[in-house]
Amino acid sequence: MNQPSRPDLRPLKTNDTATILAGTCLWAVALVVLLIMQPDPGHRWWIWTCVSGICGGLFGLLYVRRRDRREPPSAEAPIEPATAIPPVFPAPPAP
């Protein structure tokens, strides 16, 4: 039985820069808290985890900004999350 194929979904437009900045800021806050509280020597690796999170966020920010500069703007309107769900086709009638 041949069923009609569903149309391909287009990716949603998101603000990747804001997401990466929020995550990087959270790592920075965690780093400041750890520097103020001074964890014991067995838990100093937490500080380096925060530092690596900040470095990863800065790298991600540079990567996303460079990607956005190279990517030509699309003429299509952004898709709302509610409309990103493909329509449900009714079942074909039985022969």
Side-chain angles (χ1 to χ4, degrees):
M1 178 187 296
N2 291 334
Q3 294 181 352
S5 64
R6 295 182 176 182
D8 291 336
L9 293 177
R10 297 179 304 218
L12 296 174
K13 299 292 181 183
T14 59
N15 190 350
D16 297 331
T17 302
T19 305
I20 294 171
L21 278 175
T24 305
C25 289
L26 289 173
W27 280 116
V29 168
L31 177 64
V32 169
V33 168
L34 285 172
L35 290 175
I36 291 172
M37 296 189 66
Q38 288 293 317
D40 59 33
H43 293 202
R44 297 265 178 191
W45 61 270
W46 290 354
I47 293 173
W48 293 109
T49 301
C50 293
V51 170
S52 65
I54 293 169
C55 292
L58 293 175
F59 173 76
L61 190 63
L62 291 173
Y63 180 83
V64 165
R65 287 189 176 178
R66 177 183 252 183
R67 180 199 66 192
D68 290 345
R69 275 185 288 170
R70 290 184 181 187
E71 186 176 286
S74 62
E76 300 174 6
I79 303 170
E80 295 296 322
T83 61
I85 301 170
V88 176
F89 295 106

